[in-house]
């Protein structure tokens, strides 16, 4: 059978694998066994899947393929955070991050090589969008990290906050979440997954109707259109009022809330008046504000506010009844912190990138 006709098991949801097995004369229930081998045990060699018949193992080797990401580099921070450079078959790479004790163990996963959003404080945005990841490549990061960290049997959370805008790669991101949730695989409940987006409104409306619903984090970063437009170019299309209105409509399950992420930049969006405007903006939304002091890096034209300014900003929100937390930066010494992920690749200008979206 020609290579092009061999389905990649990494890209197949279990019903699709069942259908592919059935079409080749094999019982559909074997798909569950294969999922357990791949996702729970980390086995990728069909010959090692010992509860499958010899004929089925031979068929898997000849009629299917299983793409697995290569671990190109691994780096550990002084605080225990680890950054992984992962390589795909086409030579492209992404970075994924393991953040221990946050309070759960957390994998920070990428959904694109690069990003088209061009946020002014984010190194990934300076890459431009190189390409979208497939669902198998998104889940493949989890497979590699779980194996490298010996965590296949451990509970962990996933944040889709690595490289890329998840809702700009909507279909593959949703497929990846279904793969992660499959009870024969990682069996990762959606409540343990957080999806971070700058607020692509048509995709956000689609997300509201998804059966597999992750936690939602909105990258807000400013309380006014003038400020946010200077930091997040997509705000010119989907403005602050539109995003807040969509959040008010978003169907939240019991004990869930929307997180508003707010990267704090010295002298830009960190004033007491900014805090008061933000509190007024999100009042009445079932939410919390996650204040993220900037992780400064070469190429980012902003500075981190003083500890006093950070504490003052958070205190003003709290005084006005806003649930607020200040994110502790992890992995800054290995450039693994929020906004610091970047790999070499084809670059496009922000204008070229936004033309794709707008």
């Amino acid at each position: 059978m020609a290579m092009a006709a061999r389905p990649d098991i990494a890209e197949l949801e279990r019903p699709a694998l069942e259908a592919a097995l059935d079409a080749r004369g094999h019982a559909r229930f074997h798909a569950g066994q294969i999922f357990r081998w791949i996702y729970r045990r980390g086995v990728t060699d069909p010959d090692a899947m010992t509860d499958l018949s010899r004929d089925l193992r031979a068929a898997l080797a000849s009629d299917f393929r299983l793409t697995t990401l290569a671990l190109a580099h691994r780096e550990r921070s002084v605080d225990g955070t680890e950054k992984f450079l992962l390589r795909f078959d086409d030579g492209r790479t992404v970075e994924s991050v393991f953040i221990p004790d946050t309070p759960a163990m957390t994998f920070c996963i990428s959904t694109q090589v690069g990003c088209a959003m061009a946020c002014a404080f984010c190194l990934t945005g300076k890459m431009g969008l190189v390409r979208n990841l497939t669902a198998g490549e998104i889940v493949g990061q989890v497979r590699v990290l779980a194996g490298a960290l010996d965590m296949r049997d451990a509970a962990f959370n996933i944040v889709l906050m690595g490289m890329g805008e998840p809702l700009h790669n909507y279909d593959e991101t949703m497929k990846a979440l279904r793969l992660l949730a499959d009870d024969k695989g990682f069996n990762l409940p959606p409540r343990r997954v957080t999806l971070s987006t700058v607020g692509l409104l048509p995709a956000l409306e689609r997300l509201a109707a998804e059966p597999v619903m992750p936690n939602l984090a909105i990258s807000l970063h400013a309380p006014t259109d003038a400020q946010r437009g200077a930091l997040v170019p997509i705000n010119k299309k989907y403005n602050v009022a539109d995003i807040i209105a969509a959040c008010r409509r978003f169907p939240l399950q019991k004990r869930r809330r929307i997180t508003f992420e707010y990267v704090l930049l010295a002298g830009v969006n960190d004033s007491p008046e900014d805090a008061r405007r933000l509190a007024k903006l999100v009042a009445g939304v079932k939410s919390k504000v996650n204040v993220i002091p900037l992780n400064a890096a070469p190429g980012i034209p902003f500075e981190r506010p003083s500890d006093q300014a950070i504490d003052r900003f958070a205190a003003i929100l709290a005084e006005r009844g806003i649930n607020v937390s200040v994110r502790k930066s992890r992995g800054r010494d290995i450039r693994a912190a929020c906004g610091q992920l970047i790999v070499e690749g084809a670059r496009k200008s922000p204008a070229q990138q936004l033309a794709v979206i707008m």
Side-chain angles (χ1 to χ4, degrees):
M1 185 173 291
M3 177 65 75
R6 296 170 65 199
D8 187 349
I9 297 174
E11 301 294 345
L12 299 180
E13 295 179 64
R14 186 152 52 97
L17 180 55
E18 291 172 349
L21 290 171
D22 184 65
R24 290 160 175 79
H26 305 288
R28 302 172 72 94
F29 76 87
H30 290 307
Q33 294 174 291
I34 294 166
F35 263 47
R36 283 192 291 269
W37 280 111
I38 294 170
Y39 297 108
R40 293 191 185 178
R41 302 176 188 174
V43 173
T44 58
D45 180 2
D47 282 339
M49 299 179 183
T50 52
D51 61 354
L52 304 181
S53 70
R54 184 174 301 173
D55 287 346
L56 179 53
R57 282 181 277 166
L60 289 178
S62 63
D63 296 352
F64 294 84
R65 57 196 175 98
L66 177 57
T67 300
T68 301
L69 282 62
L71 176 53
H73 186 66
R74 179 175 180 177
E75 194 171 3
R76 185 181 177 89
S77 166
V78 293
D79 64 24
T81 299
E82 294 193 57
K83 183 169 71 173
F84 296 78
L85 180 67
L86 303 173
R87 180 170 289 113
F88 305 112
D89 279 356
D90 66 355
R92 299 294 187 188
T93 55
V94 295
E95 291 181 328
S96 307
V97 179
F98 168 60
I99 313 166
D101 305 318
T102 52
M105 304 299 186
T106 300
F107 296 174
C108 181
I109 299 301
S110 297
T111 54
Q112 297 176 310
V113 181
C115 184
M117 299 301 107
C119 296
F121 48 80
C122 179
L123 284 180
T124 307
K126 295 186 178 300
M127 292 176 59
L129 177 62
V130 180
R131 71 169 176 86
N132 286 330
L133 299 187
T134 67
E137 291 171 335
I138 296 169
V139 177
Q141 296 168 67
V142 181
R143 288 169 51 205
V144 172
L145 267 61
L149 295 161
D150 195 23
M151 289 183 59
R152 290 195 187 93
D153 295 324
F156 54 82
N157 292 341
I158 288 178
V159 292
L160 299 176
M161 298 181 184
M163 300 171 68
E165 160 58 57
L167 295 189
H168 192 207
N169 185 18
Y170 187 93
D171 290 335
E172 294 300 313
T173 295
M174 292 303 111
K175 181 179 175 182
L177 294 186
R178 293 192 297 270
L179 279 165
L180 288 166
D182 192 290
D183 62 4
K184 302 298 185 185
F186 281 116
N187 195 25
L188 188 74
R191 62 182 171 78
R192 298 189 72 99
V193 179
T194 299
L195 183 152
S196 176
T197 175
V198 295
L200 303 185
L201 290 191
L204 197 57
E205 299 289 353
R206 288 180 66 190
L207 182 66
E210 287 288 343
V212 176
M213 178 69 71
N215 299 306
L216 180 63
I218 301 291
S219 295
L220 191 60
H221 308 312
T224 71
D225 285 327
Q227 290 169 298
R228 192 170 192 262
L231 299 172
V232 183
I234 198 66
N235 194 77
K236 296 177 178 63
K237 186 172 180 66
Y238 307 120
N239 64 30
V240 170
D242 291 337
I243 290 171
I244 297 300
C247 290
R248 293 185 188 279
R249 297 191 301 269
F250 200 82
L252 291 172
Q253 298 176 9
K254 190 176 181 180
R255 292 193 294 273
R256 287 204 190 181
R257 64 185 65 205
I258 292 172
T259 297
F260 289 109
E261 297 171 313
Y262 194 101
V263 172
L264 212 59
L265 311 171
V268 177
N269 63 354
D270 65 338
S271 72
E273 183 58 27
D274 290 326
R276 289 189 284 270
R277 288 194 189 104
L278 179 61
K280 184 177 180 180
L281 182 68
V282 303
V285 181
K286 190 180 177 184
S287 65
K288 71 174 182 178
V289 173
N290 189 0
V291 175
I292 309 170
L294 175 71
N295 295 302
I300 297 178
F302 302 102
E303 297 296 329
R304 180 186 180 92
S306 67
D307 289 345
Q308 181 182 10
I310 295 167
D311 292 343
R312 179 184 62 193
F313 193 93
I316 291 171
L317 294 175
E319 289 164 2
R320 283 157 176 75
I322 304 301
N323 188 316
V324 59
S325 62
V326 178
R327 183 182 295 179
K328 179 182 178 182
S329 294
R330 302 290 295 269
R332 291 172 63 188
D333 57 312
I334 58 170
R335 281 179 38 176
C338 178
Q340 293 187 319
L341 302 185
I342 186 170
V343 296
E344 292 302 314
R347 286 172 166 79
K348 297 179 181 178
S349 71
Q352 289 174 307
Q353 297 300 309
L354 289 171
V356 176
I357 307 163
M358 302 178 70

